[in-house]
Amino acid sequence: NAGVTQTPKFQVLKTGQSMTLQCAQDMNHEYMSWYRQDPGMGLRLIHYSVGAGITDQGEVPNGYNVSRSTTEDFPLRLLSAAPSQTSVYFCASSYSKAPNTGELFFGEGSRLTVL
Amino acid sequence: AQTVTQSQPEMSVQEAETVTLSCTYDTSESDYYLFWYKQPPSRQMILVIRQEAYKQQNATENRFSVNFQKAAKSFSLKISDSQLGDAAMYFCAPRFDSWGKLQFGAGTQVVVTP
């Protein structure tokens, strides 16, 4: 099973460039989300979606954009990259309806460096 | 606001010994899930154990067990018979909503010494 697939795994950007982190899941999960991980701060929620066409902001949404046109895909867009966006990014998904174990399934992470 | 606190940035344990990681949280919800995730150097997030708040019985998974104190809003993880492969960052992550939104503590780095 593929589970949650994130691409790319590594990316280096220059300040001001834009890019899209791709995320796809094949488990028919309603809920999908993006987190960023920074040292000493755990994982912080950027954006999330509870179904196709429905997205909402998390704790740290500024500088990021998302869309959910299909159940499977949830891309994260950096509109104009800044050094403060240097981080490891995780896409995660879960079931939202019974039988709902509540568990989040994670992608392998994407390390982004903004110079 | 709901917060999650892991007060131990790092814990060291010898092989075969036991270590306990602490986690406290703040919420006004009565029904929720609690999770511990492990993140080894590979960066992969691995579910270690889950607990439903409505269950009084503490969850166990092989060498991993929790001490869930709902009134105290405490959710500690005990690793028994520690192994070198247990070395990783451990995150406490409650889920307070009905959709899937997890909140994460800052993490505790577990170091296992031979």
Side-chain angles (χ1 to χ4, degrees), chain B residues 46-93:
Chain B
I46 302 166
L47 178 67
V48 174
I49 198 165
R50 72 168 64 85
Q51 172 83 42
E52 290 90 343
Y54 68 87
K55 290 186 177 179
Q56 294 186 339
Q57 186 173 4
N58 288 325
T60 61
E61 286 288 340
N62 301 314
R63 297 181 295 107
F64 298 88
S65 61
V66 300
N67 183 5
F68 173 48
Q69 302 289 329
K70 189 173 184 179
K73 297 177 184 176
S74 171
F75 182 57
S76 62
L77 175 70
K78 185 169 79 171
I79 307 173
S80 303
D81 186 25
S82 297
Q83 301 175 358
L84 293 176
D86 295 333
M89 182 72 83
Y90 287 80
F91 292 99
C92 173

Side-chain angles (χ1 to χ4, degrees), chain B residues 23-41:
Chain B
C23 174
T24 59
Y25 55 91
D26 185 27
T27 184
S28 58
E29 301 294 331
S30 59
D31 191 18
Y32 47 90
Y33 291 96
L34 298 144
F35 302 90
W36 279 97
Y37 279 86
K38 168 185 177 180
Q39 187 181 44

